[in-house]
Amino acid sequence: MAGAPARYLVFFQYFGTRYSGVMETKSDQALVGVQNYLEKAAEQLKPAAPIKFHISSRTDSGVHALANAAHLDIQRGPGRAPFTGPQLVQGLNHHLRPQPIWTYIYRLLLGCAHRSQIPVFERDLCWAPPGGPGSMPRALSQALCGSSPLDIPAMREAAQFLLGTHDFSTFSSPQAEAQSPVRTLQQLQLQPSPSLLGQHHLHRGLEFWEVRVKSKSFLYRQVRRMVGALVAVGQARLSPAGLQELLALRDPRALPPSATAPPGGLFLHSVHYRHTGGHVLINYSLIINNY
């Protein structure tokens, strides 16, 4: 049986500009209540029963609060002691923080027939993979870039299979530390890109492309391994459906280490903190009753 619930009194403050007010609203509204965020954070504490915030004072849309108050009952699992006041404050505030969204770009260079054609200021800042199957003898593949362009439409088709929430074990390094392999890709796009110095028009026939990937978190080497698989699709060594099958295998060994794109083309582009969270802070908490 679950332990007896404990009742807490919490004091909290919020910047109300992006909220419909303090009270709970339907989640499909453009602006929702502060209570929605408080109870969503409370879900992360793994209670034995849903947690409801009983808020003492209502505020309207856009109104701020320096010290509002609410009481809530928390029932924990069997054998688990009630949270202390400081533990509850720390736990709730941890999940009220804004979650960063990471954007990486991987830069590809197409159209070079020899490594010497890569602009000097672009070397080690992009990857110029072989263009297509049979475009060169294997013995030359380490020196030549290949003149056949990658099949960008096929790569874009394959990228659609990676969008959304999946178990990305296949695209994690086999040496990665044990962790949940489930991640959510919010964006995975292939788009033309300029050279870093904006002078690639001087190098006729060269095309810069970037793979732009956005998520709250990534597995170890996930971006580079996904790019390597997409390039294999562009080279017709792997079909878009074959990439989907690799994803479904959920096995890091299904994608050989040689398929990992080299590190030089990968850039952390930005870290964005969403505005929908991070404007609510629990100031203080104490147990006011044990049932």
Side-chain angles (χ1 to χ4, degrees):
M1 295 178 61
R7 175 163 290 182
Y8 297 83
L9 177 64
V10 297
F11 299 89
F12 58 100
Q13 61 183 205
Y14 48 89
F15 186 69
T17 302
R18 296 186 174 91
Y19 300 102
S20 66
V22 70
M23 304 305 294
E24 182 180 18
T25 61
K26 293 182 179 179
S27 59
D28 59 354
Q29 293 186 198
L31 294 177
V32 297
V34 172
Q35 184 177 355
N36 295 66
Y37 287 101
L38 290 171
E39 292 178 357
K40 185 175 181 179
E43 291 175 2
Q44 307 305 313
L45 301 179
K46 309 299 183 184
I51 296 175
K52 186 77 173 177
F53 278 73
H54 301 272
I55 297 174
S56 65
S57 180
R58 291 176 176 264
T59 55
D60 293 331
S61 178
V63 176
H64 319 301
L66 296 176
N68 207 336
H71 79 263
L72 59 150
D73 300 327
I74 301 180
Q75 186 174 19
R76 305 196 72 192
R80 307 193 70 181
F83 292 111
T84 65
Q87 285 175 333
L88 183 59
V89 169
Q90 182 178 1
L92 287 174
N93 282 337
H94 174 77
H95 295 291
L96 286 169
R97 294 174 184 170
Q99 293 183 312
I101 299 176
W102 307 83
T103 300
Y104 283 90
I105 61 172
Y106 194 97
R107 304 181 67 246
L108 297 171
L109 175 59
L110 310 186
C112 65
H114 191 277
R115 183 172 177 81
S116 64
Q117 291 182 296
I118 302 176
V120 65
F121 290 107
E122 291 287 355
R123 293 176 185 176
D124 301 321
L125 297 177
C126 62
W127 179 27
S135 60
M136 72 193 72
R138 182 171 182 178
L140 298 179
S141 63
Q142 295 180 350
L144 302 185
C145 298
S147 57
S148 301
L150 298 180
D151 186 343
I152 297 296
M155 294 171 69
R156 284 174 167 165
E157 179 184 349
Q160 296 303 305
F161 294 122
L162 299 176
L163 281 173
T165 302
H166 305 282
D167 182 328
F168 282 97
S169 294
T170 297
F171 298 97
S172 174
S173 171
Q175 290 78 38
E177 297 180 1
Q179 57 179 316
S180 172
V182 177
R183 294 293 186 271
T184 300
L185 291 191
Q186 300 177 2
Q187 182 184 39
L188 180 56
Q189 291 182 334
L190 283 84
Q191 56 193 37
S193 174
S195 73
L196 291 180
L197 297 181
Q199 298 294 320
H200 72 278
H201 63 278
L202 299 177
H203 305 273
R204 294 174 179 264
L206 299 185
E207 295 182 14
F208 288 89
W209 286 75
E210 69 179 31
V211 182
R212 182 177 293 256
V213 190
K214 182 184 295 185
S215 178
K216 293 179 182 178
S217 62
F218 294 94
L219 299 173
Y220 181 53
R221 293 189 177 175
Q222 179 184 347
V223 175
R224 290 170 54 197
R225 287 169 66 81
M226 290 191 304
V227 170
L230 289 173
V231 166
V233 171
Q235 296 169 328
R237 294 189 293 112
L238 179 68
S239 68
L243 184 142
Q244 185 182 27
E245 293 172 0
L246 281 175
L247 176 66
L249 289 176
R250 304 176 183 179
D251 183 358
R253 296 167 297 180
L255 195 67
S258 60
T260 303
L266 183 63
F267 293 78
L268 173 60
H269 179 270
S270 61
V271 181
H272 173 68
Y273 287 84
R274 297 190 304 170
H275 295 302
T276 53
H279 301 284
V280 182
L281 178 70
I282 306 294
N283 294 329
Y284 186 71
S285 172
L286 67 157
I287 299 179
I288 59 175
N289 182 44
N290 280 323
Y291 288 89

